[in-house]
Amino acid sequence: MEKNPLRALPDRRLHRIAGPCGIVLFGITGDLAKRKILPALYDLANRGLLPPSFSIVGIARRHIDVEQLFTESISKGAQTPVNPTTLNQLLSGLHLVVGAYDSDQLYTDISDTLKELDETRGTGGNFAFYLSIPPGLFPVVTRGLGIAGLNKTNGNNWRRVVIEKPFGHNLESAKELDGYLTGVFPEHSIFRIDHYLGKETVQNIMALRFANEFYEPLWNSNHIDHVQITMAEDIGIGSRAGYYDGIGATRDVIQNHLLQLLALTAMEEPISFTADELRAEKEKVLRATHLYGPVEKASVRAHYSAGCQGGQYVKGYKDEDGIPQDSITDTYGAIALTINTRRWSGVPFYLRAGKRLGRRVSEIAIAFKKPPFLPFEDAADLGQNTLVIRVQPNEGITFKFGSKVPGSEMRLRDVTMDFAYGHAFTDYTPEAYERLILDVLLGEPPLFPQSTELEESWRIIDEVENYWDSSPETLETYEPGTWGPKGADDMLAQHGHAWRRP
Ligand code: BG6
């Protein structure tokens, strides 16, 4: 009988459900685990996407009530309603292993726990080791996993390692870190999480560009004037001084989230969306990315001063708990980049990220060139056509264009066309961590950057950070609730541009 070629295609009506497996969570008491990872696991289970045998092994340095920690983090962070059946099922597979990360005993205990889970819950030897711990601990933990043979498979099962950013502190340390990881796990088993890639709106950049005829012919330096990529937060650093100081906004989010957004916005169309093809296109565009002009004119950093935000007094960065008075860490970073390719030559890409800014918004704004000639007398109010991909909040896409103001005269004004996810779709939108953790458990890597992309990102950021290190006077301050320091406005003004005030 002739084979039906459609049979070879996956049935898209079926949910992607993970097979028998478990997760070993290093740093279960940490902020990220409690706020994002555990609630995401619960939501996945609640949506029926995890196997009934799914097991969670938390690793902590001291004893804690892990059931209480889990239940509290679910009630605060889960998106789906609390369902006692799901909760009990997960609690029955929840274990805690306590020990120092540098003691061999810890890894022996983990190994024993995993064997027991295989026997009692049928996890099949399939485990993801999630390192939600400070990067300084990655080498010691990967070494421990390797020595205990926890990285080994028997051919029928899998072992994967998931690491959280920052992937190093600069290019050199990123390579060193990668050396530790690849010395223990094969590259295809390493999943580097950049949670922005798990956001629906970020994946939609590819749909917008490559599923439509309208945009791509205009997506180049003939029509695009410049691009602004913004990640603004209205919160301060909160209780994260230990993580944040010495890292700063540029390493924390520009090196990864914003440069990944740039790559997706600027890359060529991949042949397919498999990991190899997609990553190759992102890497290619990052390799062609450079500062737009000399570093002193293409970079700005600052941290927030004390002041008033939303009617409330807020502390300055240096007064936050745990921050030294002489800290020169940036809570705001902005860089101007350009991409040396035929498509993008001469088009500036401005990237900025900061805490305690005017409001929380992440977006990509594509500003088009003005028409070469405007046959209207009253067109003074007309701006540039701008396509804004709103990553969050109010996820959607907006297009700004010129329109006639109703009336007897030919007066023009900018108006917007809006697409909002909330209006167009009623489907459940998974949190970024849900999507990415499920991909880890299914062994699907396209949404995880590979080390070469990250190294290219470090190459770009290192030039800026090295300059800042040698020029402490470059550090500016900005008032909370504003849109950043004056230097950032000057950086764009030199090219005749201005930041959007979203
Ligand atoms: C993290 C950064 O990657 O992203 C944090 O380390 C930041 O500093 C967070 O607050 C913001 O994520 P989101 O998804 O709320 O934009």
Side-chain angles (χ1 to χ4, degrees):
M1 212 173 56
E2 208 184 312
K3 276 196 183 154
N4 177 352
L6 291 178
R7 281 274 169 81
L9 296 173
D11 186 341
R12 291 180 197 286
R13 292 164 304 177
L14 292 179
H15 280 303
R16 301 152 71 239
I17 299 176
C21 64
I23 199 162
V24 180
L25 182 52
F26 286 82
I28 193 167
T29 55
D31 187 56
L32 184 71
K34 287 192 282 192
R35 278 192 313 111
K36 298 285 182 186
I37 302 171
L38 295 175
L41 288 171
Y42 171 81
D43 286 328
L44 284 171
N46 221 5
R47 292 166 57 219
L49 303 179
L50 297 184
S53 61
F54 188 76
S55 305
I56 303 171
V57 181
I59 312 296
R61 280 183 271 205
R62 5 168 243 291
H63 198 81
I64 45 148
D65 184 340
V66 71
E67 292 207 355
Q68 188 188 349
L69 177 141
F70 186 73
T71 318
E72 278 176 12
S73 93
I74 302 313
S75 66
K76 283 194 197 138
Q79 289 212 90
T80 55
V82 175
N83 171 344
T85 315
T86 311
L87 195 57
N88 290 336
Q89 193 181 317
L90 285 173
L91 286 175
S92 68
L94 178 65
H95 292 257
L96 180 74
V97 179
V98 180
Y101 291 148
D102 59 357
S103 90
D104 291 348
Q105 187 58 44
L106 174 69
Y107 301 92
T108 310
D109 293 347
I110 296 174
S111 186
D112 292 345
T113 307
L114 301 194
K115 279 186 204 132
E116 190 190 317
L117 288 172
D118 283 344
E119 280 161 26
T120 56
R121 289 180 70 85
T123 33
N126 302 315
F127 289 97
F129 299 98
Y130 197 132
L131 311 193
S132 177
I133 47 178
L137 293 170
F138 290 164
V140 71
V141 172
T142 39
R143 184 179 158 274
L145 293 172
I147 289 176
L150 287 160
N151 53 343
K152 298 267 179 339
T153 62
N154 62 15
N156 295 320
N157 67 331
W158 53 259
R159 295 288 159 104
R160 298 180 186 134
V161 65
V162 184
I163 61 161
E164 276 288 342
K165 70 179 184 60
F167 311 111
H169 197 71
N170 52 25
L171 178 57
E172 198 187 329
S173 57
K175 283 185 171 167
E176 200 181 324
L177 167 63
D178 227 59
Y180 287 119
L181 287 169
T182 50
V184 177
F185 287 92
E187 179 63 33
H188 69 263
S189 302
I190 303 173
F191 289 72
R192 302 169 182 86
I193 289 222
D194 181 316
H195 81 279
Y196 261 57
L197 296 183
K199 291 185 190 272
E200 284 291 324
T201 32
V202 172
Q203 291 162 52
N204 198 33
I205 299 171
M206 293 181 273
L208 176 85
R209 292 190 55 197
F210 305 127
N212 297 297
E213 181 54 18
F214 191 74
Y215 304 104
E216 209 52 20
L218 304 178
W219 214 257
N220 56 52
S221 62
N222 295 333
H223 302 284
I224 293 180
D225 180 51
H226 71 279
V227 177
Q228 296 187 16
I229 304 182
T230 299
M231 179 178 170
E233 295 179 276
D234 50 7
I235 51 169
I237 58 144
S239 56
R240 293 172 76 216
Y243 161 81
Y244 202 86
D245 197 56
I247 289 190
T250 309
R251 286 192 175 99
D252 182 34
V253 296
I254 299 186
Q255 188 272 341
N256 37 77
H257 305 330
L258 268 57
L259 281 169
Q260 285 289 322
L261 293 183
L262 172 141
L264 292 172
T265 307
M267 71 182 184
E268 296 303 317
E269 181 175 297
I271 293 168
S272 73
F273 292 104
T274 59
D276 285 352
E277 302 294 355
L278 181 60
R279 289 159 158 184
E281 291 305 338
K282 285 193 289 163
E283 183 189 334
K284 204 166 87 190
V285 78
L286 287 168
R287 281 175 60 189
T289 303
H290 300 272
L291 289 178
Y292 189 53
V295 62
E296 61 279 12
K297 296 201 177 276
S299 61
V300 174
R301 64 162 171 176
H303 58 212
Y304 52 84
S305 56
C308 225
Q309 189 177 26
Q312 274 192 332
Y313 172 81
V314 295
K315 285 181 186 172
Y317 177 68
K318 288 196 289 189
D319 302 324
E320 298 276 16
D321 294 343
I323 302 296
Q325 272 299 310
D326 57 353
S327 171
I328 55 164
T329 296
D330 51 309
T331 59
Y332 177 100
I335 55 176
L337 300 171
T338 187
I339 301 170
N340 291 339
T341 59
R342 173 180 288 248
R343 188 196 275 264
W344 293 116
S345 181
V347 178
F349 280 70
Y350 302 117
L351 274 50
R352 64 174 162 170
K355 300 220 182 258
R356 286 248 179 268
L357 294 181
R359 58 175 284 220
R360 174 174 181 254
V361 60
S362 294
E363 62 164 43
I364 302 163
I366 320 280
F368 288 85
K369 291 187 170 163
K370 288 201 168 180
F373 174 69
L374 279 172
F376 303 98
E377 279 178 13
D378 194 355
D381 293 344
L382 224 48
Q384 288 168 284
N385 289 164
T386 308
L387 182 76
V388 180
I389 302 170
R390 255 189 339 269
V391 174
Q392 65 191 25
N394 309 326
E395 291 79 356
I397 296 172
T398 298
F399 184 58
K400 185 176 88 172
F401 62 100
S403 170
K404 180 181 174 305
V405 178
S408 54
E409 305 144 71
M410 182 53 104
R411 230 166 24 92
L412 303 171
R413 194 170 60 96
D414 286 323
V415 293
T416 53
M417 237 168 12
D418 250 314
F419 150 67
Y421 274 81
H423 292 160
F425 302 110
T426 52
D427 306 50
Y428 172 85
T429 306
E431 260 275 306
Y433 274 91
E434 263 181 82
R435 168 68 202 260
L436 295 175
I437 291 172
L438 184 60
D439 282 2
V440 170
L441 303 178
L442 291 166
E444 293 183 0
L447 296 182
F448 297 83
Q450 66 183 352
S451 58
T452 43
E453 290 168 61
L454 299 170
E455 285 169 15
E456 285 305 320
S457 302
W458 278 124
R459 173 190 55 76
I460 298 163
I461 297 303
D462 274 4
E463 188 179 348
V464 173
E465 295 281 356
N466 291 343
Y467 164 64
W468 287 343
D469 282 350
S470 63
S471 317
E473 75 286 356
T474 50
L475 182 77
E476 297 182 46
T477 54
Y478 59 98
E479 296 266 322
T482 64
W483 282 98
K486 178 175 174 304
D489 293 335
D490 297 344
M491 184 174 88
L492 265 63
Q494 66 182 320
H495 304 297
H497 296 139
W499 288 110
R500 287 167 44 79
R501 301 278 186 261

